[in-house]
Amino acid sequence: MRTGSRLAEFAAGWPVLVAATLGCAMGASSLPFYSLGSFIGPLQQEFGWARGDITSAFLYLTLTVAVTAPALGWLIDRLGPRPIALAAIPGFAATLFALGRYGDTLTAFYICFGLAALLGGGTTPILYTRAVNGRFDAARGLALGLTLAGMGVMAMVLPPLLAVVIAGHGWRAGYLMLAGFALLPWPFVLWSLGGKAARGAAAEEPWGVDRGVALRSRIFWTIALGFCAIAIAVSALTVHMVPLLRDAGMEPMQAAGVASLTGVGVLLGRLVIGWLMDRFFAPRLAAGIFGLTALGCLLLAYGGLGLAPVAAFLIGFSLGAEVDLISYLTARYFGIRRYGFLYATIYAWFVIGAAIGPYVAGRIYDATGSYDVAIWGVVACLIAGSLAALSLPRFDALRPRAADTMPHESDPRGTAAQAVLR
């Protein structure tokens, strides 16, 4: 019966899935993040900026997302995803165009990244996962994995593609290409995120934890701070992967090719982990995945260039689990009714971590001339995130009635609903 229900959800909800997948792939959480490492070398060469200065741009984007995310989530809860996405997509594309035309100074570079978050916040997973969670229930894990797999494709494709474009036409052409990519989801959102295709049984679910109850719960802050630590770790390695490999002796195109394996890991991680989340207890899956990524970091540090492709894949596999897991856990623990606000607030902590990671790793490199200290910090953050995931209780811990729990969500641990609020 569960299998039939999942197939029925995909048969009815595939237009929403297509729009959300393209939107995440071409949005503000994907294009600036997966492309920044490819611009570090050209910007250093043309302007003499330090790596820490360049990667600080991502700090402006992510901190702007963190500040505005709760308000964005509140608007999505009230207005729905479609009108916000239709306005945000062209705004985000305009900021990428401006980066290619006017990003000649660090100040202008930083302003463009901040505007990308301010105008393009509605192109992030905050919006698209709300659309998917509202349409899917039995197949929610796999649907979220497919949605966010678009970001994995971009992680795989962008480094080598940008290497060719920048080598032939300069870094400005690279940002103009990204601006064109950013506009692609607009017609799909217009067609799919309104009307009957966007409505499903999950959208009519009456249950949802009130904002105040959620914000007072240990569950909420365990998810928020645990994934903040994971974001610090994985974002630092993703952004600095190309320069790290070049420092170790790789040629630019070879380093870009290895970095693109991160995208392969992201893509497979989203699909495999999404499928597993519908069948097994998601927090335990998260703990195992983050432990595997810590192993990948140690391979990168001490295994030599021969193991760099394996390390890049494992890092990407973890990156493929992050946003999917946050969305899935938010919907399962807190319901759909206040999902926009609650997910956006947790996502704000996640992007704060994503901003801190590249910045701190860049500053460590500038101060020490190597990434050794940064890699050990990454391992520590991954272990902390794994332990946080292991501490999470059963999914029905905040529900008023245990009977509301889905069969596959049950967990043998007996946890009283009130206990998790203390």
Side-chain angles (χ1 to χ4, degrees), residues 86 89 183-192:
L86 291 176
I89 288 169
L183 289 172
L184 290 178
W186 199 91
F188 293 90
V189 169
L190 179 66
W191 171 55
S192 301

Side-chain angles (χ1 to χ4, degrees), residues 111-301:
I111 288 173
C112 286
F113 268 76
L115 286 174
L118 185 64
L119 300 179
T123 68
T124 63
I126 297 172
L127 182 138
Y128 292 114
T129 61
R130 173 61 181 86
V132 171
N133 273 308
R135 188 61 189 81
F136 292 85
D137 182 29
R140 182 174 289 166
L142 182 56
L144 288 170
L146 290 168
T147 298
L148 296 160
M151 297 171 69
V153 172
M154 297 312 294
M156 183 170 54
V157 169
L158 275 183
L161 181 59
L162 282 170
V164 172
V165 171
I166 291 171
H169 305 283
W171 66 271
R172 296 179 190 277
Y175 275 116
L176 294 180
M177 180 187 73
L178 295 182
F181 284 171
L183 289 172
L184 290 178
W186 199 91
F188 293 90
V189 169
L190 179 66
W191 171 55
S192 301
L193 292 194
K196 185 177 179 180
R199 296 192 297 270
E204 300 170 1
E205 177 183 325
W207 179 79
V209 175
D210 289 338
R211 287 190 291 264
V213 173
L215 292 174
R216 292 193 301 271
S217 71
R218 179 185 69 82
I219 295 172
F220 182 91
W221 292 107
T222 298
I223 296 172
L225 297 180
F227 279 93
C228 179
I230 296 299
I232 291 171
V234 179
S235 65
L237 286 175
T238 303
V239 170
H240 287 274
M241 180 69 72
V242 171
L244 185 154
L245 294 174
R246 291 189 64 182
D247 288 349
M250 279 192 179
E251 294 298 320
M253 288 300 296
Q254 185 183 9
V258 171
S260 70
L261 291 174
T262 302
V264 177
V266 170
L267 182 59
L268 290 177
R270 300 226 189 272
L271 299 177
V272 172
I273 295 164
W275 183 84
L276 290 173
M277 282 192 296
D278 288 326
R279 291 158 175 82
F280 300 100
F281 190 55
R284 291 175 183 168
L285 284 174
I289 291 161
F290 300 146
L292 189 64
T293 308
L295 174 62
C297 296
L298 295 177
L299 289 177
L300 188 64

Side-chain angles (χ1 to χ4, degrees), residues 342-421:
L342 295 174
Y343 174 78
T345 305
I346 294 173
Y347 189 79
W349 282 94
F350 174 78
V351 298
I352 287 172
I356 291 172
Y359 173 78
V360 172
R363 291 304 184 191
I364 288 174
Y365 177 88
D366 293 338
T368 66
S370 91
Y371 287 108
D372 291 346
V373 175
I375 289 175
W376 278 107
V378 164
V379 171
C381 287
L382 288 166
I383 293 172
S386 182
L387 293 174
L390 284 175
S391 74
L392 288 170
R394 54 190 290 173
F395 285 142
D396 65 345
L398 293 177
R399 283 183 179 267
R401 293 180 293 112
D404 290 334
T405 307
M406 303 300 294
H408 70 284
E409 296 168 355
S410 62
D411 183 44
R413 292 173 292 178
T415 305
Q418 296 302 318
V420 297
L421 295 175

Side-chain angles (χ1 to χ4, degrees), residues 40-59:
I40 288 176
L43 292 172
Q44 276 189 299
Q45 184 176 0
E46 182 165 343
F47 301 117
W49 299 342
R51 291 184 186 180
D53 290 333
I54 296 168
T55 54
S56 293
F58 196 65
L59 189 68

